[in-house]
Amino acid sequence: MIKYALKFLTFLVVAVFFLFSIFAPFHQIFPNLESYSIDLFGWYVSIIFLSDLLFKLFVLTNNRMQIGFLAENDLGNYLKSYFIFDLIAVVPIALFPNPSLWQLLPLIKIFSIFRRISFIRQTLLKFASLGVVVQFLYWFAQITHWISCGWLKIAGIEEQSSVTTNYISALYWTTTTLTTVGYGDIVPHTNIEKIYASVVMIIGVGFYGYLIGNVVSVITKRDPAHEKFISNLDNLSAMVKHRNMPKELTSRIRQYFLYLWKHRLGNNEGEFLDNLPQGLKSEVQTFLKQDVIKDIDLFKDASKEFITELADNLHELVITPDEFLFSEGSIGTRVFFVIKGELSVLIENNTKEIAVINSGDFFGEIALFKNKPRNASVKAVTFCYLYYLDKNSFDTIIPKYPAIAKKIEAKVLEREHLEE
Ligand code: CMP
């Protein structure tokens, strides 16, 4: 309940601030517009900002609450930092003489709002990149509006023109100045106008650089898997240039990267997971791998406990068509589970195929289970996405779960029997 109230209040405060930040500066220039009364609106703003402040204090004093929509999480910190802005913003501006620059005081809440919006953006991770663009566009529009109002205040309005014409001219001046286009048809005359114009130009250069840099980086760095894919292709292209790589090999490498990219694999999720504490990492791994693990016939009815332990120890592997995973007679160090793809089991110097292994199956268990060399070679027929378990993990985990061990043993017997 409190959480929803806080959410609602956050949206209300942001919306009210948004309207206020448009109307309040506008009102300074055109105080006598009939369609807009600062008195009534001023009261709304003060009351809503006051509710926000009180509610925030209430939530922060009840520390045990889940504060989903607040950037602050500690009353002491809040009182030392953003509290002052929230407090100034509740002054009852409707009581000031009209028009007066004091009426702009609630705009100081921008600092607190800015922090809150950034925080909300961080919680809505799915829309993070869109959020950056929207936020920039918003600030761009907001700043343009404020500078336009400032210009009208300094340069004065043309009495014979309408409100709209005056405002559009100011907007036009701001845009040409901010973007440093500067047509020069509206120019500063007085000293103060010149100083104002210079400041706006400096803001313009900085702001544009910042805006364009950020938007470009958001657009290009949207997807880590894509980024990784592009960087892999760049490296491959450099190798082709300098190392004279054969065409066939190059093409296989390219196909491999394409496969990773298409299946959103290989974007260093492992590296990211390594940054998490063990407990959290284990939970994430179980979540990510559980569906895939359940697709393996051997683990169909496995317990949650087993899946968690397995997920912690399973590693991913992608191999390309015609690649050998291991050869007959070699020492077995891993057992493999096929998530996607098809593999061929070969004996007699890889001249005789004795079986084909498909998605949902496993192989390489005989050497581990019986502690003897591989009894066949295994080669990928198509691209294969596999999970594997190291011998050590296999030897520690499997004996703890007799039902699974039994199934593996049955499979070993069946396969050995087939070969005889
Ligand atoms: P391992 O001996 O460790 O290495 C080769 C693997 O091929 C073997 O384990 C089995 O997993 C698999 N294998 C061997 N024979 C067959 C078969 N007849 N059918 C399916 N898979 C097999």
Side-chain angles (χ1 to χ4, degrees), residues 326-336 344-347 354-357 361-369 372-378 411-412 414-419:
F326 51 74
S327 308
E328 189 178 352
S330 61
I331 304 292
T333 54
R334 290 169 177 177
V335 56
F336 297 87
S344 159
V345 182
L346 304 160
I347 55 168
I354 52 166
V356 170
I357 300 178
D361 207 348
F362 64 98
F363 62 92
E365 77 293 355
I366 300 181
L368 268 65
F369 204 79
K372 60 183 203 183
R374 299 286 192 200
N375 71 2
S377 304
V378 173
K411 196 76 170 184
V412 170
E414 179 194 322
R415 283 175 172 169
E416 280 193 325
H417 176 71
L418 272 178
E419 263 176 49

Side-chain angles (χ1 to χ4, degrees), residues 281-344:
K281 178 176 165 186
S282 169
E283 261 181 64
V284 177
Q285 275 180 329
T286 309
F287 171 77
L288 292 177
K289 291 179 184 163
Q290 62 186 358
D291 290 344
V292 180
I293 292 177
K294 280 185 186 148
D295 278 346
I296 310 274
D297 289 339
L298 177 66
F299 306 134
K300 272 249 147 74
D301 312 307
S303 66
K304 220 175 154 214
E305 197 190 348
F306 172 76
I307 291 184
T308 307
E309 198 170 353
L310 193 67
D312 273 348
N313 291 283
L314 281 180
H315 304 275
E316 279 178 355
L317 179 71
V318 172
I319 54 166
T320 56
D322 292 334
E323 214 178 310
F324 274 89
L325 260 178
F326 51 74
S327 308
E328 189 178 352
S330 61
I331 304 292
T333 54
R334 290 169 177 177
V335 56
F336 297 87
F337 306 93
V338 189
I339 313 301
K340 268 191 202 97
E342 187 182 311
L343 301 104
S344 159

Side-chain angles (χ1 to χ4, degrees), residues 115-365:
R115 187 172 147 87
R116 196 118 150 218
I117 291 179
S118 303
F119 182 75
I120 295 173
R121 236 187 49 219
Q122 286 158 23
T123 55
L124 302 173
L125 279 177
K126 255 194 186 168
F127 309 103
S129 31
L130 183 69
V132 175
V133 178
V134 171
Q135 199 174 335
F136 271 116
L137 289 179
Y138 166 71
W139 287 118
F140 176 65
Q142 189 69 269
I143 287 174
T144 310
H145 172 68
W146 284 340
I147 294 175
S148 305
C149 291
W151 173 252
L152 284 174
K153 185 89 185 166
I154 290 171
I157 52 171
E158 282 182 20
E159 294 294 345
Q160 69 277 21
S161 306
S162 67
V163 170
T164 318
T165 311
N166 267 302
Y167 181 70
I168 288 181
S169 300
L171 213 56
Y172 168 76
W173 175 85
T174 308
T175 318
T176 51
T177 312
L178 263 185
T179 52
T180 67
V181 170
Y183 285 123
D185 48 352
I186 305 177
V187 287
H189 295 292
T190 63
N191 285 348
I192 184 96
E193 284 172 24
K194 285 177 189 164
I195 293 173
Y196 188 73
S198 308
V199 172
V200 172
M201 281 183 258
I202 292 169
I203 296 179
V205 173
F207 192 72
Y208 261 88
Y210 191 63
L211 178 94
I212 289 167
N214 269 283
V215 170
V216 167
S217 95
V218 164
I219 292 170
T220 51
K221 288 191 178 167
R222 245 175 346 191
D223 183 350
H226 188 245
E227 225 182 301
K228 186 90 192 163
F229 172 59
I230 298 291
S231 114
N232 280 332
L233 285 192
D234 285 346
N235 288 338
L236 178 64
S237 137
M239 273 184 89
V240 171
K241 241 193 227 158
H242 304 298
R243 299 265 176 173
N244 222 356
M245 294 249 292
K247 260 201 176 132
E248 199 262 344
L249 192 57
T250 314
S251 151
R252 278 177 58 198
I253 299 176
R254 206 187 52 238
Q255 297 293 337
Y256 169 72
F257 287 140
L258 261 169
Y259 184 88
L260 290 187
W261 156 235
K262 258 197 212 151
H263 294 82
R264 291 288 191 279
L265 297 166
N267 58 344
N268 281 350
E269 257 174 13
E271 220 170 83
F272 163 73
L273 289 176
D274 282 341
N275 292 328
L276 297 178
Q278 187 52 42
L280 205 53
K281 178 176 165 186
S282 169
E283 261 181 64
V284 177
Q285 275 180 329
T286 309
F287 171 77
L288 292 177
K289 291 179 184 163
Q290 62 186 358
D291 290 344
V292 180
I293 292 177
K294 280 185 186 148
D295 278 346
I296 310 274
D297 289 339
L298 177 66
F299 306 134
K300 272 249 147 74
D301 312 307
S303 66
K304 220 175 154 214
E305 197 190 348
F306 172 76
I307 291 184
T308 307
E309 198 170 353
L310 193 67
D312 273 348
N313 291 283
L314 281 180
H315 304 275
E316 279 178 355
L317 179 71
V318 172
I319 54 166
T320 56
D322 292 334
E323 214 178 310
F324 274 89
L325 260 178
F326 51 74
S327 308
E328 189 178 352
S330 61
I331 304 292
T333 54
R334 290 169 177 177
V335 56
F336 297 87
F337 306 93
V338 189
I339 313 301
K340 268 191 202 97
E342 187 182 311
L343 301 104
S344 159
V345 182
L346 304 160
I347 55 168
E348 293 175 8
N349 251 338
N350 307 329
T351 51
K352 185 174 166 200
E353 178 177 86
I354 52 166
V356 170
I357 300 178
N358 283 302
S359 312
D361 207 348
F362 64 98
F363 62 92
E365 77 293 355

Side-chain angles (χ1 to χ4, degrees), residues 50-122:
L50 180 66
S51 325
D52 182 52
L53 174 68
L54 295 179
F55 204 73
K56 229 182 207 181
L57 289 174
F58 166 71
V59 172
L60 288 173
T61 29
N62 288 276
N63 258 341
R64 69 211 149 71
M65 277 180 189
Q66 254 297 320
I67 32 181
F69 259 63
L70 275 190
E72 298 82 10
N73 48 18
D74 179 289
L75 183 64
N77 270 346
Y78 174 56
L79 291 181
K80 270 190 260 162
S81 54
Y82 293 86
F83 170 69
I84 185 73
F85 303 129
D86 284 343
L87 188 67
I88 296 176
V90 301
V91 288
I93 50 166
L95 298 180
F96 289 122
N98 198 9
S100 118
L101 282 177
W102 292 107
Q103 287 167 334
L104 296 180
L105 263 184
L107 288 181
I108 200 165
K109 203 174 168 74
I110 191 169
F111 296 108
S112 163
I113 297 251
F114 189 71
R115 187 172 147 87
R116 196 118 150 218
I117 291 179
S118 303
F119 182 75
I120 295 173
R121 236 187 49 219
Q122 286 158 23

